[in-house]
Amino acid sequence: MKAIAKAHTNIALIKYWGKRNEALILPTNNSLSLTLDGFYTSTRVVFKEDLQKDTFLLNGTRIEGEQYNRVTQFLDLVRNLAQKNIYAEVESINAVPTAAGFASSASGFAALAAASSKAIGLELSDSELSRLTRQGSGSACRSIFGGFAEWQQGEKADGSDSYAVPIAPQNHWDLRVAAVVLSAKMKKVSSRAGMKRTVETSPFFKGWIESIPSEIDAIKQGILDRDFEKVGEIAEANCLKMHATTLGANPPFTYWLDSTMSVMQSVQALRASGIPAYFTIDAGPNVKVLYLPEHEEEVQQTLRSIPGVDDVKLSCAGQGITYLGDDEFV
Ligand code: ADP
Ligand code: DP6
Ligand code: CO
């Protein structure tokens, strides 16, 4: 009853920002992402008859508290599905900063869902696995797939039609993403808390939701046509709208640092100088820059020269869930 799974993070080009059901993690809008090769989680799950409770080791450290509770509550769902009352040892390694706005919850819960469901003997289709994964962290349901994936919000109250579907595979388009590291510190407001406060208090939330359907349709067409300007423009605008909703919340908040703004302005300056590049930002200060392979040198140089930039990590499109052998778990 053991399995090891590897999952990559994804960057949302159309953001998931708002829940209609917090317990089931049902979103208020469809979202769309690109899975990233450069950031991932590997997780080993071993179910054992003699355990009295689950244990969780993250990057070699024994975890208790909120992060432990999220893992064990997720394993309860897996136990329920399998109709088996048995605890697990979970060991996970994040090749991504944890809780810093690099989507560790996406790779983390996708890897946990895949490893735990396999270890307990469930044989799930990709859609079933995505639907299960969604209940660990919403954004994670898109990381089941490589390349571009859309999380369809669904309509049903029980969430049975809320899961991600593939839009275009990893090899469809060599789109690149530079992750600009400004701070790898844990954020003060988690994604979960931030979107909850926004839904409950921000008057801008209504406008956010109204703008999504046309953006989703247009960006999907842009992806299929490999139309970089179209995809970049929509992604950048969608990111700015999402972050605008936090300024309208009560109490107001923002994930940005002043260096976040500097990077955004540098990307816009790159564009003005004729190099197509666009930014997007998840729930954190760090910026992801979309570009095409032929502009990698200029984009990288520009980003590295901005004051406040600690590192720039280049990534291409990543693959979906894979299962590893024991000797591959490092
Ligand atoms: P992020 O931007 O990193 O996704 P979130 O606030 O959405 O930030 O989620 C961070 C939380 O995700 C962590 O505090 C932890 O509860 C959970 N998480 C991160 N990595 C893992 C992992 N490898 N296994 C299980 N849970 C994880
Ligand atoms: C801004 O999936 O981390 O990155 O479902 O509460 O775990 P929970 O939240 P999470 O939220 C991600 C928010 C986002 C946008 C996105 O990834 O779509
Ligand atoms: Co997250």
Side-chain angles (χ1 to χ4, degrees):
M1 296 191 80
K2 171 160 98 175
I4 303 170
K6 180 174 176 183
H8 292 81
T9 66
N10 66 76
I11 177 70
L13 304 178
I14 302 292
K15 310 291 182 192
Y16 145 53
W17 194 242
K19 293 181 179 70
R20 66 178 198 273
N21 180 321
E22 285 170 21
L24 293 174
I25 310 199
L26 298 177
T28 48
N29 64 277
N30 288 19
S31 54
L32 189 147
S33 61
L34 175 63
T35 299
L36 296 181
D37 171 67
F39 298 100
Y40 53 89
T41 298
S42 306
T43 298
R44 172 165 57 197
V45 177
V46 190
F47 286 96
K48 286 186 176 167
E49 293 290 353
D50 57 342
L51 295 175
Q52 305 302 308
K53 57 181 259 197
D54 298 315
T55 59
F56 177 36
L57 220 62
L58 179 56
N59 296 337
T61 304
R62 177 76 177 259
I63 304 291
E64 307 281 352
E66 183 50 34
Q67 294 189 333
Y68 170 82
N69 293 342
R70 270 182 82 164
V71 167
T72 194
Q73 279 160 18
F74 184 79
L75 292 174
D76 286 343
L77 299 173
V78 175
R79 283 185 275 264
N80 254 330
L81 263 185
Q83 297 278 301
K84 282 187 189 148
N85 220 339
I86 181 167
Y87 293 108
E89 284 174 359
V90 177
E91 197 176 338
S92 187
I93 297 175
N94 276 349
V96 51
T98 303
F102 286 103
S104 69
S105 70
S107 55
F109 278 95
L112 178 65
S116 59
S117 59
K118 184 159 194 270
I120 210 163
L122 288 166
E123 283 174 21
L124 303 178
S125 66
D126 283 350
S127 316
E128 288 167 334
L129 180 58
S130 176
R131 188 163 56 203
L132 169 67
T133 304
R134 185 200 80 224
Q135 296 176 73
S137 176
S139 56
C141 78
R142 299 182 308 238
S143 276
I144 302 307
F145 302 100
F148 297 89
E150 179 183 11
W151 177 8
Q152 301 188 330
Q153 65 172 108
E155 289 168 0
K156 296 191 179 147
D158 66 358
S160 55
D161 57 353
S162 187
Y163 51 81
V165 299
I167 295 298
Q170 182 185 13
N171 64 5
H172 166 69
W173 187 14
D174 190 7
L175 190 63
R176 303 276 171 95
V177 176
V180 184
V181 184
L182 303 169
S183 164
K185 280 202 211 117
M186 275 184 70
K187 50 194 164 191
K188 291 197 192 86
V189 184
S190 69
S191 303
R192 190 159 292 186
M195 70 176 83
K196 181 173 158 65
R197 194 191 300 173
T198 303
V199 171
E200 287 171 356
T201 66
S202 178
F204 306 154
F205 188 70
K206 189 167 171 279
W208 159 252
I209 291 301
E210 282 169 3
S211 69
I212 301 282
S214 61
E215 286 183 337
I216 284 269
D217 287 348
I219 204 166
K220 275 202 280 201
Q221 196 55 53
I223 290 165
L224 296 178
D225 297 342
R226 300 187 191 86
D227 182 339
F228 183 69
E229 274 76 17
K230 183 168 178 180
V231 168
E233 264 171 33
I234 298 169
E236 193 171 297
N238 181 269
C239 152
L240 290 170
K241 260 178 266 185
M242 177 212 125
H243 285 270
T245 66
T246 71
L247 296 177
N250 182 15
F253 66 106
T254 181
Y255 287 107
W256 296 355
L257 300 171
D258 46 6
S259 49
T260 309
M261 192 71 95
S262 305
V263 177
M264 291 192 275
Q265 284 166 343
S266 293
V267 171
Q268 285 165 342
L270 265 175
R271 266 203 318 266
S273 76
I275 296 167
Y278 296 85
F279 62 78
T280 183
I281 307 164
D282 276 347
N286 306 296
V287 185
K288 283 81 182 181
V289 180
L290 307 173
Y291 63 93
L292 293 169
E294 57 264 35
H295 299 118
E296 185 148 282
E297 262 326 297
E298 297 106 306
V299 169
Q300 185 178 195
Q301 262 179 25
T302 301
L303 296 174
R304 284 193 187 279
S305 69
I306 304 168
V309 170
D310 277 350
D311 199 4
V312 177
K313 292 183 174 155
L314 307 179
S315 184
C316 41
Q319 60 183 337
I321 291 287
T322 53
Y323 295 93
L324 307 180
D326 240 347
D327 51 332
E328 294 167 292
F329 186 68
V330 280

